Amino acid sequence: MSADTATDKSSYGHRLVQILKKLNQGDKLDPKVLADEFGVNLRAIQRDLNERFAFLNLHKVDGRYQMPPALLGKLNFRDVERFASLAGVRGLYPSLTDDFLRELIDTRVQSALLVKGLQYEELSGSQHILFGQLEAAIRTHSQIAYTYEKAGGLKSYLQVEPYKLVNHDGIWYLAAKDGGRLKAFSLVKIDRLQVTTTIFTPDLAVHATLNSEDGIWLNEKKLEVVLKITGTAASFFRRRKLVANQVIEKELEDGGMIVSAKVAHVNQILPTVRQWIPCIRIISPEGLQAEMEIEIRSYLNA
């Protein structure tokens, strides 16, 4: 088993970030010293420097690696995290070439891609082509048209404004505005794509929405859901966000807490509530708890 396989993903990501930080600040890196520092074998470090960071065209002098002078100090902390992440998950991106990554650094263009989670679905050859066409449309702010597979059959979409290709929990989505509304479309259900010559003006608020969302339910009008969580389950909700856009509003004396979440649709939160029954209860909106209980009883009696 290789060091990369044995090392957990968070440590692996941390290693890439730290290496890129060192390069960005002008350090001359000795692979053997890095291997000792991060507790991995030499081959793992050599793959980081020679393969994962190949797009940087690192200079190698007397066995030490350093950033090219033209790039030195050019990345801020957010850039470092972004490029380290891209270097670590290059398999996610069908079009993530060295030239593409160099362009991101050199021109500081806004990426058309957004990834939330480390797992991903494999795209077929034709979907790779679609992926590239959508990415180009996003970069040029071109309206698009396509057919989309829905439960009731195919639906045609015209004059759609594409904003991001989002990978959420392993599934690729197109985040786009249709008729002025922000929506998410599963990439594998898109067909007969046409990139038009009509250019749209991007809404900066959409980018902020996409970056802040915990899920893929996209709707600019949010519903606030308030939950009461008992002490048994509360510790899990304190450690990490188990519901989308979770905010701890109040700690209770019995060890429980009150949590709020702004969601685009109740189905964004109901699966988590069902999973934690009876340790969680919906306080508002009024009637939602009762509706869920009726649904559960109906299912059990079926």
Side-chain angles (χ1 to χ4, degrees):
M1 180 181 292
S2 70
D4 279 350
T5 303
T7 306
D8 64 46
K9 290 176 180 176
S10 61
S11 298
Y12 169 58
H14 172 76
R15 184 177 84 229
L16 293 181
V17 169
Q18 294 306 310
I19 291 175
L20 191 50
K21 282 174 63 178
K22 292 174 185 289
L23 290 167
N24 189 53
Q25 66 190 19
D27 291 1
K28 298 178 181 179
L29 304 183
D30 184 332
K32 293 180 180 179
V33 173
L34 291 176
D36 290 338
E37 178 180 345
F38 295 107
V40 297
N41 63 40
L42 182 58
R43 269 195 314 179
I45 296 297
Q46 289 171 333
R47 277 198 301 272
D48 292 343
L49 296 170
N50 295 321
E51 298 176 19
R52 297 184 177 102
F53 288 138
F55 63 94
L56 293 172
N57 282 333
L58 297 176
H59 290 182
K60 185 178 181 183
V61 181
D62 296 329
R64 296 172 180 263
Y65 293 76
Q66 61 188 91
M67 189 80 88
L71 298 180
L72 194 60
K74 197 171 182 179
L75 308 179
N76 59 35
F77 180 72
R78 187 172 179 183
D79 291 329
V80 168
E81 289 193 318
R82 179 186 298 123
F83 286 109
S85 175
L86 290 177
V89 293
R90 297 180 73 170
L92 270 171
Y93 302 94
S95 58
L96 195 56
T97 63
D98 286 346
D99 288 340
F100 170 75
L101 288 171
R102 289 188 194 106
E103 181 188 358
L104 284 183
I105 292 179
D106 292 338
T107 63
R108 309 299 291 274
V109 298
Q110 170 111 20
S111 174
L113 314 175
L114 179 63
V115 178
K116 300 187 176 184
L118 294 178
Q119 301 299 317
Y120 59 95
E121 64 181 345
E122 294 288 345
L123 299 179
S124 68
S126 61
Q127 290 161 355
H128 282 197
I129 296 172
L130 174 68
F131 192 101
Q133 291 172 327
L134 288 171
E135 186 182 354
I138 292 168
R139 293 186 181 284
T140 57
H141 311 308
S142 301
Q143 287 188 353
I144 57 177
Y146 49 84
T147 59
Y148 189 74
E149 181 185 342
K150 298 177 72 84
L154 292 177
K155 179 177 179 179
S156 295
Y157 286 86
L158 306 173
Q159 298 179 317
V160 175
E161 299 176 354
Y163 276 85
K164 286 276 189 183
L165 288 165
V166 183
N167 188 286
H168 180 76
D169 285 345
I171 306 298
W172 279 112
Y173 298 89
L174 169 68
K177 268 196 167 184
D178 171 52
R181 292 181 57 196
L182 185 59
K183 300 178 181 179
F185 299 90
S186 176
L187 208 66
V188 297
K189 296 182 179 181
I190 295 175
D191 195 15
R192 299 178 185 176
L193 174 70
Q194 293 182 334
V195 179
T196 74
T197 56
T198 303
I199 305 301
F200 68 94
T201 302
D203 182 354
L204 295 180
V206 170
H207 290 292
T209 297
L210 293 174
N211 287 325
S212 64
E213 281 291 336
D214 289 338
I216 198 61
W217 292 85
L218 301 179
N219 190 331
E220 290 160 328
K221 293 183 179 179
K222 299 295 185 183
L223 169 71
E224 184 175 62
V225 178
V226 180
L227 309 170
K228 181 179 180 181
I229 304 170
T230 66
T232 306
S235 61
F236 292 93
F237 284 79
R238 287 190 187 93
R239 288 204 293 269
R240 63 188 182 95
K241 293 182 178 182
L242 293 179
V243 294
N245 309 309
Q246 171 184 308
V247 176
I248 298 176
E249 299 289 352
K250 185 179 180 181
E251 296 281 357
L252 304 177
E253 292 183 0
D254 62 1
M257 61 183 178
I258 303 297
V259 166
S260 69
K262 291 184 178 180
V263 299
H265 192 281
V266 292
N267 285 343
Q268 192 175 353
I269 200 169
L270 286 178
T272 302
V273 174
R274 296 188 192 102
Q275 180 183 350
W276 287 93
I277 290 174
C279 300
I280 187 170
R281 186 173 185 83
I282 303 171
I283 298 176
S284 71
E286 187 175 352
L288 185 56
Q289 175 73 24
E291 290 177 16
M292 183 188 69
E293 291 176 358
I294 291 172
E295 178 186 295
I296 293 173
R297 280 196 293 269
S298 175
Y299 171 78
L300 293 175
N301 293 330

